Amino acid sequence: MKKDTVYEVRTYSSTSISKLSKKLLKHVLIVTIGLGMLYPLLWLFSSSFKPNTEIFQSNSFFPQTFTLDNYKQGWSGLSGVTFGKFFANSFFIVAMCIIGNVIACSMAAFAFARLKFALRKMWFAIMLITMMLPFHVTIIPQYIIFNSLELVNTYVPLILPKFLAVESFFIFLIVQFIRSIPGELDEAVKIDGCGPFKLYIYLIMPLALPALVTTTIFTFIWTWNDFFGQLLYISEINLYTVALGLRMFLDAMGQNSWGALFAMSILSLVPLFAIFIFFQRYLIEGIATGGLKG
Amino acid sequence: MNKLKQAWRNNWVGYLFLSPWLIGVLTLSAIPMLASLYLSFTSYDMFTPPKFIGLDNYATMFQDAKWRDSLRVTSMYVFLGVPLQLIFALAIALFLNRGISGLKFYRAIYYVPSLFGGSVAIALLWRQLFGSKGLVNSFLTTLGFETKNWIASPDTALYTLIVLMIWQFGSPMVIFLAGLKQVPIELYEASKIDGASKWKQFSRVTLPLITPVVFFNLVMQIIGAFQAFTSAYIISGGSGGPLNSTLFYTLYLYQKGFTHFQMGYASAMAWFLLLFIACATAILFITSKKWVYYQE
Amino acid sequence: MSKMMKSLMLYALSIIMLVTVAACSSNTPNDAANTTSTPKATNQNDPNQQNEQNDKKDEVEIRFTWWGDTTRNELYNAIVDRFEEEYPHIKVKREFGGWGDYWDRLTTQVAGGNAPDVVSMHQFYVSDYARRGALLDLSQVVDSGSLDLTNFPESAINSGRINDTLYMVPKGVTMPGWAYNTAVFDELGIDYPDMNWTWEDYAAKVTEIYEKSGGSLWGSVDGSGGQPQPNFRYFTRQHGQDLYTADGQIGFTEETLVKWWSMWDELRKKGAIPDAATGTEYENAPLEQNMFVTGLVAITQIPANQIYLYQQQFSEGEIRMVRMPTLAGGQNGEYIEGAYLSITEKSKHPEEAALFIDFFINSERSLELFKVEQGSPASTTMSEFVKPLLEPAQQRAVDFIQEVLPYATDAVYAPLGAAEIQQLFSDQASKIAFGQMSVEEAAKAFMTEAQAILQR
């Protein structure tokens, strides 16, 4: 009898220990991989406080001489136009692109996923095909179009395409999400007498929210980082974006201002990180279950 | 009569929702695309008017050894890199889906590599990791292994780019997470009551329900990886070296177009790639009928 | 359903917040344009008065573009500001970027029919632009008196001619050479290289460095491949040949090429220069991280105007330069290099563009800022004018340029297709370095393929 109880206690404690150690192992694993993910950021961060000469010449991870000069010098930008201006410009472009992408892509996606109309499959195929041509060969024709409309050196070439749902990636993404929404829900709504517009706004959009959030996050990050389009279409410094501002510190034939580049890179990552943290809650707080019940 | 009216109404609504995209595709996409298709039959140096030369560009292309190299390198990158990246992204997404404290924080951290995009910092970093005096080598030395110049040896350079691709797994991960959000919790609870093991739960409940998202990621990553440019451009300094081992298709295309001023040839290359990707995508779509489940 | 809508509303709200934040902090493009004109106006002493003086002339806007780093951007902006003070009726829009970005954008602009009026030009690319009719024949603005080249030596002007047409004028001329750090040589106890050394001296010096350092230091970078100029081009010219002939054919023999690659191959096999993988690893490294600055090699090839950039990287020793190695019993390889200015063919205001170039290269107000930013001023009066303004490292650069300049002879510009041949040259060189081909095979294949490219 006594032996048995001891035995029982032992099993109990050993399972709880194994459970605990399993949990611990999980966290250790996550943290180790996490460090691998974070290393570049940490390196960039610590380098941004090093004087230019120290960045590549010392092997130490931590700055030996701590300086804020990189931030001051970097922020001052060029000829009186500061990085504050570049940030404002980037925010403006990004915000417009998000609005454009969310509205135009979700509309097209709704049409492809839920509406029946002639040539639907053909248009869908065309949508996919537009993604398959490397952009380098369409740059010049596109530039000629915008130049003939005298829109070069404005933000129109960067923003207008989003309002015309040129990024098929997001259309296809939202289509896939809408297609996993049960069709019976549509029927129920249709029986209630709702037309396609109400169906779009009141049922599909809320249910496809994770896709819209994903579209927002990606549009933000990709537009923020995209520099090639900005490089070709924006040449006046007052219109410069953060991505272009960062390129300013580099010149293969001259001197690179690494310190300033790193400092401003760190600053430019802040909004990206913030947007990810802010919007990811929509990916975490499950709306699917609540939604289906309500 | 009534039927016709109904059909017209349906078309009208469909095209109304489609109209922004339709305008965009007919102006901003179609014109440049058709222009480049025409240019692929010409000799075009960008500064002087194009000269029509028929199929010459395509003929030259099939005999161009470097073009074959670039196609081989890119295919390797796609067929090795994309599956690895997706498996990694899905594993992490499942891992970070629920049931761990500090989830939000971890998730944000795991997304960090993807925030960098094609930043120049990546090029510096990769040299720091995989260069002759890199971290990987000093790690190998302490373990007593032989070292290697990973980034500049023709037989390993491409793998460092594949590692980079896997490392930047954030986008597919987010899409997987968003897909997992759509799996109703009730289903998990039901399978729990049935006493299903974790693996069974994953393979019977989760995986089938997220196949649309898996399919999406697969198609998109393949289309994207075939056109991969930035990583090779920043890390090899635009050369595609050593010995063409990182000469991605679009990198070669860019060299031809912008460095050698042969935009006609570059356009022919681009349209060949389009056909190539279209075939790959079509195959995926056909097989998808067998393994992707939609709720409609 | 209400819960769903709530989260959608919340989401929409957060987007709107994002937009308002952006809208509040940002000006529209039009606002942005307005803010620029204010500081410029305050720069002028009395804008109204000056405007009255020039009332007869219509306002003209030209665009000027250059490549450069942050220091140069500030400098050129200041020069342009001074030009606008001097010529209030001409507004100059500035566009700039790093070397790589610069050429991507310029190509697109020229192809798209939106070329800037005044563009910075370089020997690597001038053939591609000039031979395709993108650049203006400058003799018309020289004849009209807008661009004054009287103080320019004939050789400097000739370096901007392609087939006898003047397409570009030098902002600054520079000469390449091999640089070394005195501290490194002192420490090893090796004599500095001689100004007029030969390729044999070079090979011996490189080997000596490698041996005396006990193998911890390579003698020099691998110059076998990469851009064929200046290294290989000097070698061909020393043989009485050149990269190309005047009628656009390959200008050197297979024998010269074999000699060239064999020389490097021997050094590589001895271990005196870096192995292929290390060489490739550092090939495109930025200046701050290249093999010379990080102390892996003792000698490197640079253009003279970069001496002061390199000097800034070292706390010990002086960066000095010697000529490109010469060929015993051969001719001089030197030809003028530099950074140039051109006017584009489609410019609507070639005269104003010429006035700008004239101001840039001939006026003291410009040169006292420019100094030797992209090489020593080509105008003889201006190069005298900037001399007292220089720092020691810049002074050394000018001294070097002026010492070597007399050796320079005219050089033929590359034909169309040269970019592809350059690529081929560099590809073949790395095939040798990685041991995929013998020197003879690589040279033979190069000659056949290069000729095929030029035949097209």
Side-chain angles (χ1 to χ4, degrees), chain A residues 78-79 85 88 143 147 212 216 231 234-236 238 240 247 251 253 255-258 278 282 291 294, chain C residues 1 4 11 14 25-27 36 69-70 74 77 93 95-96 99 101 105 109 112-114 286 288 306 312:
Chain A
L78 186 73
S79 307
K85 181 84 187 154
Y143 190 91
N147 187 42
L212 299 184
T216 308
L231 170 75
I234 306 298
S235 45
E236 203 176 307
N238 277 294
Y240 262 36
R247 302 287 291 193
D251 175 33
M253 297 287 266
Q255 196 169 28
N256 303 300
S257 316
W258 292 109
F278 180 74
Y282 295 105
Chain C
M1 192 83 98
M4 266 159 34
Y11 166 75
S14 42
S25 53
S26 118
N27 303 326
T36 32
D69 51 23
T70 37
E74 294 282 2
N77 259 322
K93 282 203 156 190
E95 301 173 4
F96 47 82
W99 171 259
D101 292 351
R105 174 153 68 197
Q109 287 176 331
N114 186 34
E288 295 80 1
Q306 286 191 352
Q312 285 171 9

Side-chain angles (χ1 to χ4, degrees), chain C residues 310-427:
Chain C
Y310 276 87
Q311 188 65 64
Q312 285 171 9
Q313 302 293 325
F314 292 94
S315 46
E316 277 170 51
E318 201 172 81
I319 304 301
R320 291 193 193 155
M321 274 182 82
V322 290
R323 270 177 90 179
M324 302 283 279
T326 55
L327 186 72
Q331 304 177 14
N332 285 322
E334 276 81 358
Y335 58 96
I336 293 181
E337 284 188 57
Y340 295 75
L341 288 172
S342 292
I343 300 177
T344 46
E345 166 69 25
K346 295 222 170 81
S347 167
K348 290 193 187 82
H349 308 289
E351 292 300 326
E352 284 79 4
L355 283 176
F356 176 75
I357 295 180
D358 189 69
F359 178 85
F360 201 104
I361 57 175
N362 279 325
S363 78
E364 293 185 355
R365 297 204 63 207
S366 156
L367 269 299
E368 73 184 358
L369 294 173
F370 179 91
K371 293 177 194 153
V372 290
E373 176 63 25
Q374 284 188 290
S376 173
S379 149
T380 42
T381 37
M382 284 304 122
S383 78
E384 284 306 310
F385 168 74
V386 298
K387 246 184 191 164
L389 309 171
L390 302 179
E391 288 170 31
Q394 293 174 321
Q395 186 60 53
R396 282 204 299 281
V398 173
D399 289 344
F400 174 82
I401 292 168
Q402 297 200 327
E403 187 174 350
V404 177
L405 211 50
Y407 300 118
T409 50
D410 289 352
V412 175
Y413 272 102
L416 291 177
E420 218 175 326
I421 291 175
Q422 277 171 20
Q423 185 70 51
L424 180 65
F425 179 79
S426 136
D427 284 354

Side-chain angles (χ1 to χ4, degrees), chain C residues 211-226:
Chain C
E211 281 165 0
K212 280 223 175 142
S213 72
S216 69
L217 193 64
W218 281 299
S220 86
V221 291
D222 185 342
S224 65

Side-chain angles (χ1 to χ4, degrees), chain C residues 8-25:
Chain C
L8 186 69
M9 292 291 282
L10 201 67
Y11 166 75
L13 212 72
S14 42
I15 296 252
I16 290 169
M17 250 164 59
L18 196 77
V19 175
T20 21
V21 168
C24 292
S25 53

Side-chain angles (χ1 to χ4, degrees), chain A residues 50-56 70 73-74 245-263, chain B residues 120-121 123-124 127, chain C residues 67-73 97-101 284-290 293 306 308-310 312-313 373:
Chain A
K50 291 178 182 173
N52 249 325
T53 44
E54 196 191 311
I55 291 175
F56 294 118
N70 294 327
Q73 188 212 331
L246 290 176
R247 302 287 291 193
M248 222 165 58
F249 297 122
L250 296 176
D251 175 33
M253 297 287 266
Q255 196 169 28
N256 303 300
S257 316
W258 292 109
L261 172 73
F262 291 169
Chain B
V120 195
L124 297 175
R127 184 172 294 142
Chain C
W67 70 83
D69 51 23
T70 37
T71 326
R72 184 176 303 158
N73 293 342
W99 171 259
D101 292 351
N284 296 297
L287 188 146
E288 295 80 1
Q289 274 193 300
N290 71 24
V293 171
Q306 286 191 352
Y308 86 101
L309 289 182
Y310 276 87
Q312 285 171 9
Q313 302 293 325
E373 176 63 25

Side-chain angles (χ1 to χ4, degrees), chain C residues 51-291:
Chain C
N51 278 345
E52 261 167 49
Q53 280 177 352
N54 293 284
D55 235 0
K56 298 154 238 160
K57 291 179 188 166
D58 288 334
E59 281 253 331
V60 167
E61 185 182 276
I62 60 170
R63 286 157 60 212
F64 166 45
T65 179
W66 70 86
W67 70 83
D69 51 23
T70 37
T71 326
R72 184 176 303 158
N73 293 342
E74 294 282 2
L75 208 60
Y76 284 12
N77 259 322
I79 294 178
V80 175
D81 285 343
R82 288 186 172 188
F83 172 77
E84 286 180 333
E85 280 169 38
E86 204 110 325
Y87 297 88
H89 72 290
I90 306 177
K91 278 260 164 298
V92 184
K93 282 203 156 190
R94 311 110 202 252
E95 301 173 4
F96 47 82
W99 171 259
D101 292 351
Y102 174 82
W103 294 105
D104 280 347
R105 174 153 68 197
L106 186 61
T107 311
T108 312
Q109 287 176 331
V110 173
N114 186 34
D117 300 270
V118 180
V119 296
S120 299
M121 220 356 105
H122 193 271
Q123 263 132 338
F124 286 174
Y125 290 94
V126 67
S127 268
D128 285 318
Y129 282 78
R131 291 188 200 271
R132 294 190 173 101
L135 302 181
L136 190 76
D137 176 358
L138 294 181
S139 59
Q140 66 183 76
V141 288
V142 174
D143 293 344
S144 76
S146 301
L147 179 58
D148 178 14
L149 296 179
T150 39
N151 292 325
F152 280 61
E154 197 59 30
S155 60
I157 299 177
N158 280 343
S159 74
R161 285 187 210 276
I162 293 180
N163 292 350
D164 299 329
T165 312
L166 185 66
Y167 285 113
M168 54 180 193
V169 292
K171 287 183 255 198
V173 295
T174 188
M175 299 298 284
W178 287 76
Y180 61 95
N181 183 351
T182 51
V184 174
F185 277 66
D186 291 345
E187 198 183 318
L188 293 174
I190 299 175
D191 293 337
Y192 303 148
D194 184 65
M195 185 69 183
N196 294 304
W197 61 345
T198 64
W199 288 105
E200 280 82 38
D201 298 338
Y202 164 81
K205 185 66 73 189
V206 164
T207 317
E208 189 189 355
I209 293 165
Y210 172 71
E211 281 165 0
K212 280 223 175 142
S213 72
S216 69
L217 193 64
W218 281 299
S220 86
V221 291
D222 185 342
S224 65
Q227 288 278 4
Q229 48 188 355
N231 291 322
F232 179 58
R233 189 166 190 194
Y234 270 65
F235 194 69
T236 57
R237 287 168 61 87
Q238 288 160 353
H239 282 85
Q241 304 164 0
D242 205 330
L243 288 184
Y244 305 100
T245 61
D247 58 352
Q249 294 305 310
I250 293 291
F252 56 90
T253 61
E254 195 177 319
E255 196 194 340
T256 314
L257 187 58
V258 169
K259 247 170 103 182
W260 173 254
W261 277 335
S262 304
M263 177 179 87
W264 293 101
D265 204 37
E266 263 168 50
L267 288 174
R268 196 179 303 112
K269 282 179 179 148
K270 262 196 255 175
I273 59 170
D275 58 280
T278 312
T280 313
E281 180 186 352
Y282 287 92
E283 198 174 11
N284 296 297
L287 188 146
E288 295 80 1
Q289 274 193 300
N290 71 24
M291 301 189 83

